[in-house]
Amino acid sequence: MTIEHASELEGLRRAGSLVAAILAGMRAAAVPGVRTRELDALGADWLRAAGARSAPQLTYDFPGATCISVGRIFAHGIPDDTVLREGDLVNIDVSAELDGYFADTGASFVVGAASPPQQRLLAATLEARDAAIAQLRAGERINGIGRTIESVAARRGLRVIRNLGSHGVGRALHEAPGQIPGHYDPRDGRRLHEGMVITVEPFLASHATLAEEADDGWSLYCRRGFAAQFEHTVVVTSGEPVVVT
């Protein structure tokens, strides 16, 4: 999507504010003893009350209103009877359609107290997201996102999951300019333009460089170690980018 009118930005902001609020509410409710299915039910109720629809359900018939991933599963986890425990690494991804606009956000966190390795992974992934957003400018090459993410990962002694990345969003959950790698691809000559709506979502890992698909056909996991993700929906401008989530 390309934002051309103030009304479009306002619509996108409403969708972004909603998914951000739902993510925050689900994260606050993610305490030891809660089942991921119960967390998802909260998110589904809040979406319904706002007149919004779950984007993964709408787009892909995903078996949950939100994606909730635990442990080595770090993306596209199906909400089920998994009980959260102290020390679990969790990722919640909330994306929704509201009045024709799609917004997407996500965050990884630890239930209770994080271990030092978990803290390092989370801090680095958050740093990578925020640094990648800060350098966005209309006219710059899209591969600057992957260059920035990869630079932060290398500096922090971590790896980038290479078969996942950011993407276009706005009028659909996934749209032009398509997938945006989280690593630097010098062959990618695409450029950012004024009003372009994208997600920025690095996936950093302690050991893995590829996401593996589980037998359920949805969940993505690391064969070794753990991975984390943080995500915002962002509008590119000639100046500071506009974060809507």
Side-chain angles (χ1 to χ4, degrees):
M1 179 184 181
T2 298
I3 297 290
E4 296 179 341
H5 305 288
S7 60
E8 293 174 323
L9 180 58
E10 180 55 34
L12 191 65
R13 283 187 186 276
R14 287 195 299 270
S17 294
L18 176 63
V19 295
I22 291 174
L23 174 60
M26 292 176 67
R27 182 171 177 170
V31 297
V34 171
R35 298 179 188 275
T36 59
R37 191 187 307 279
E38 295 169 336
L39 283 180
D40 185 64
L42 284 177
D45 286 347
W46 292 331
L47 286 169
R48 193 177 306 112
R53 296 183 290 176
S54 160
Q57 284 183 335
L58 180 64
T59 307
Y60 300 112
D61 198 25
F62 181 74
T66 65
C67 300
I68 306 176
S69 309
V70 182
R72 288 195 176 174
I73 295 174
F74 65 89
H76 303 170
I78 299 172
D80 57 16
D81 289 324
T82 299
V83 177
L84 297 184
R85 295 179 170 81
E86 182 85 16
D88 277 345
L89 179 61
V90 178
N91 178 272
I92 298 178
D93 194 296
V94 182
S95 55
E97 178 273 332
L98 178 65
D99 299 329
Y101 296 93
F102 287 74
D104 193 358
T105 190
S108 296
F109 59 93
V110 173
V111 178
S115 68
Q118 288 173 329
Q119 290 174 342
R120 287 193 293 271
L121 175 61
L122 293 173
T125 309
L126 183 59
E127 178 188 353
R129 184 200 66 184
D130 291 348
I133 291 173
Q135 60 84 47
L136 296 175
R137 294 293 186 278
E140 296 295 326
R141 291 177 66 170
I142 282 177
N143 63 13
I145 295 171
R147 183 199 291 270
T148 302
I149 291 170
E150 200 166 50
S151 174
V152 172
R155 191 166 66 251
R156 299 298 186 188
L158 297 167
R159 300 181 179 186
V160 175
I161 299 294
R162 297 178 68 86
N163 57 340
L164 296 176
S166 308
H167 55 88
V169 68
R171 287 298 192 176
L173 180 57
H174 294 103
E175 58 181 38
Q179 179 149 315
I180 301 169
H183 60 279
Y184 178 58
D185 180 358
R187 299 166 298 176
D188 188 347
R190 294 174 296 170
R191 292 191 179 271
L192 301 165
H193 63 253
E194 184 83 21
M196 178 184 281
V197 185
I198 61 173
T199 68
V200 174
E201 52 177 315
F203 293 85
L204 301 192
S206 58
H207 295 81
T209 57
L210 293 175
E212 307 279 350
E213 186 174 275
D215 292 340
D216 62 23
W218 295 102
S219 304
L220 301 177
Y221 70 96
C222 296
R223 286 191 181 274
R224 292 183 59 215
F226 298 90
Q229 174 251 29
F230 285 92
E231 176 182 18
H232 272 319
T233 295
V234 185
V235 181
V236 176
T237 75
S238 58
E240 294 291 324
V242 178
V243 176
V244 299
T245 51

